[in-house]
């Protein structure tokens, strides 16, 4: 086996094709005389050339093309050096630069490849995702981090539990969960990222919070699956001093029978559950009554400036709190930022509070430093 540079293309249906770069220079364009022929009128007859740079890297030269050559969506002016997993556009034809292993005898002579690829669009398509390699590194543990935010009991004013929050400190990836899950969504890997954050966070923070509860998130795409349940079992066994609470997002609740079975399976693992973001969309009142959760987390959109809200809104929120109490669940207010919001939540019957007013997230690095 030997390492071989290749340009990988992707079609709208997800099919992948690889063009092995077995000799340099390699000319790319619309004319049949090129080594890689792309039958698209958006390309120039000779559009670009791949060559070996004096540094040993691949050099990509734009041959004064009409519609441009782009690397990671930035137009090449003259030439640039390439790295593995760079995304390259020759006009509207998109490729990813791969370094793959091949059997030497399996590689056809260059002049026998007769590769002919057709681009599907003249605009800059996005079949490939930038930073895919770095995302793989994150999944393997490189650059993973996390934080925990305290949840306060309003009666004792002591910490009742914590919520686990995923973070990253990889130098070439976004830091915030929203941006990271946006990247994961582009690759259909949200469940994988959610699992990685959860497993890292539980094991990382469990030694610091013995005897407490830890609320963990689950992505709707992994909810109710056997893979998700199987991932919880080793976490509960390895952290017996920490009670895990799974947060179920309301968008994942579509079938009461399925939900009831899932909750039973959680109970077998000694795992509690909470309805998350309650009131952010359609309030799941039927599920609240038929399958009452241990906790119901009121979305911060309901809590923000609740003390300044109209009497009508305050009555609606107060009635929802009473319904949660009547169902036997514990109401928890998220996103409480000041004393006034906390005060009105308590007056409505909220029993747990989470937010900047009672405690900001604590990063793993901060705990390690202490």
């Amino acid at each position: 086996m030997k390492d071989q540079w290749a340009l990988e293309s992707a079609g709208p249906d997800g099919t992948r094709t690889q063009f092995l770069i077995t000799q340099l220079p390699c000319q790319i364009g619309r004319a049949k005389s090129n080594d890689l022929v792309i039958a698209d009128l958006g390309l120039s007859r000779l559009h670009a050339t791949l060559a070996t740079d004096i540094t040993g890297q691949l050099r990509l030269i734009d041959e004064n093309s009409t519609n441009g050559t782009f690397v990671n969506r930035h137009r090449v002016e003259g030439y640039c050096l390439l790295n593995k997993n760079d995304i390259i556009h020759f006009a509207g034809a998109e490729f990813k630069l791969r370094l793959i292993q091949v059997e030497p005898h399996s590689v056809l002579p260059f002049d026998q490849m007769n590769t002919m690829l057709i681009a599907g669009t003249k605009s800059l398509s996005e079949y490939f995702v930038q930073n895919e390699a770095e995302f793989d590194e994150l999944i393997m543990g490189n650059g993973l981090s996390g934080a925990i935010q305290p949840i306060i009991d309003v009666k004792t004013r002591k910490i009742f539990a914590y919520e686990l929050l995923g973070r990253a400190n990889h130098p070439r990836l976004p830091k915030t969960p929203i941006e990271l899950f946006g990247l994961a969504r582009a690759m259909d890997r949200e469940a994988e990222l959610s699992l990685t954050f959860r497993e890292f966070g539980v094991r990382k923070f469990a030694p610091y919070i013995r005897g407490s509860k830890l609320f963990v998130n689950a992505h709707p795409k992994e909810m109710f699956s056997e893979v998700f349940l199987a991932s919880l079992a080793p976490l509960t066994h390895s952290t017996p001093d920490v009670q895990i609470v799974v947060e179920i997002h309301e968008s994942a609740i579509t079938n009461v029978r399925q939900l009831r079975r899932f909750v039973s399976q959680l109970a077998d693992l000694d795992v509690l559950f909470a309805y998350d973001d309650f009131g952010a969309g359609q309030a799941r009142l039927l599920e609240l009554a038929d399958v009452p959760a241990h906790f119901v987390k009121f979305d911060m959109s309901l809590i923000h400036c609740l003390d300044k809200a109209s009497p009508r809104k305050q009555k609606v929120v107060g009635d929802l709190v009473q319904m949660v109490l009547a169902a036997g669940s514990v109401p928890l207010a998220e996103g409480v930022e000041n004393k006034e919001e906390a005060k009105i939540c308590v007056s409505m019957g909220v029993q747990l509070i989470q937010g900047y007013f009672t405690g900001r997230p604590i990063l793993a690095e901060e705990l390690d430093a202490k």
Side-chain angles (χ1 to χ4, degrees), residues 309-351:
S310 67
R312 180 178 298 177
K313 179 179 178 179
Q314 291 181 357
K315 185 178 189 310
V316 168
V317 176
D319 289 345
L320 287 174
V321 172
Q322 292 305 308
M323 290 177 65
V324 168
L325 290 168
S329 303
V330 175
L332 187 162
E334 287 188 288
V336 177
E337 296 186 351
N338 55 57
K339 181 178 179 180
E340 289 72 25
E341 290 176 352
K343 185 176 180 180
I344 192 168
C345 286
V346 173
S347 70
M348 290 177 174
V350 168
Q351 297 176 341

Side-chain angles (χ1 to χ4, degrees), residues 131-193:
N131 299 124
E132 183 178 357
E134 290 79 8
F135 185 87
D136 288 336
E137 293 174 2
L138 183 71
I139 294 298
M140 296 301 294
N142 182 12
L144 273 177
S145 185
I148 51 174
Q149 186 172 28
I151 297 171
I152 305 299
D153 185 317
V154 300
K155 288 186 177 179
T156 65
R157 297 192 178 185
K158 294 182 179 179
I159 295 175
F160 173 82
Y162 296 88
E163 180 181 359
L164 175 64
L165 306 170
R167 295 288 189 272
N169 53 30
H170 193 289
R172 295 188 63 188
L173 288 176
K175 309 298 182 188
T176 67
I178 291 177
E179 292 175 299
L180 286 167
F181 273 102
L183 177 62
R185 183 170 58 254
M187 297 181 285
D188 194 24
R189 298 176 67 180
E190 302 101 306
E192 190 177 354
L193 180 60

